[in-house]
Amino acid sequence: MILGIGTDLANIERIQGTLDRFGDRFRNRVFTETELAKAARRKDEAGTLAKRWAAKEACSKALGTGLAMGISWRDMAVSNLASGQPVMELTGWAADRLARMTPADHDATVHVTLTDDHPWAQAFVVIEALPKTRPSA
């Protein structure tokens, strides 16, 4: 069952402007060390961070909160599998919210997809709950 869906569209040039204006204060308030390390390795730091910004916004919408009710930017983090597939990890308040919205007999998975086409970065997040499997008798 689908527990939540969220999407966001971020302007890469706006993120670049914020980086230029606030630098590390912005980076460290919004992004995790893993996200910052990924962006530092990329030619387009602002594009990489804009996709992650959009993912965090989309995830907060899928959680049904937006960026309110105590959720922190850093409670939602995007990393990548070896294949390049993005994955979303929730900690802190976001993980607590996910646990509260997941039925007791289900496991939740957060699916995320990212794309960009300068000057836009976009993310979609779907939170899915599947029944817990029972051991065979």
Side-chain angles (χ1 to χ4, degrees), residues 15-94:
I15 296 297
Q16 182 63 62
T18 303
L19 288 167
D20 293 344
R21 184 169 178 199
F22 297 106
D24 286 342
R25 193 169 101 198
F26 171 66
R27 285 179 186 89
N28 296 327
R29 179 174 169 250
V30 175
F31 303 102
T32 66
E33 292 301 319
T34 300
E35 291 169 321
L36 292 172
K38 172 87 171 181
R41 292 191 305 269
R42 304 302 287 273
K43 182 178 178 182
D44 182 14
E45 177 192 26
T48 300
L49 294 178
K51 285 186 281 190
R52 280 143 183 80
W53 171 280
K56 292 166 188 275
E57 287 274 9
C59 185
S60 70
K61 293 169 186 174
L63 289 169
T65 64
L67 285 161
M69 299 171 54
I71 200 165
S72 166
W73 288 102
R74 292 173 53 101
D75 285 347
M76 302 166 288
V78 177
S79 60
N80 296 84
L81 300 177
S83 66
Q85 176 185 347
V87 292
M88 177 76 70
E89 179 185 355
L90 304 183
T91 58
W93 193 94

Side-chain angles (χ1 to χ4, degrees), residues 70-127:
I71 200 165
S72 166
W73 288 102
R74 292 173 53 101
D75 285 347
M76 302 166 288
V78 177
S79 60
N80 296 84
L81 300 177
S83 66
Q85 176 185 347
V87 292
M88 177 76 70
E89 179 185 355
L90 304 183
T91 58
W93 193 94
D96 293 344
R97 170 70 178 156
L98 179 62
R100 286 191 309 274
M101 63 191 285
T102 304
D105 56 344
H106 288 66
D107 290 316
T109 301
V110 179
H111 302 278
V112 61
T113 187
L114 310 172
T115 191
D116 63 71
D117 187 8
H118 196 86
W120 302 106
Q122 186 173 32
F124 287 94
V125 170
V126 175
I127 301 175

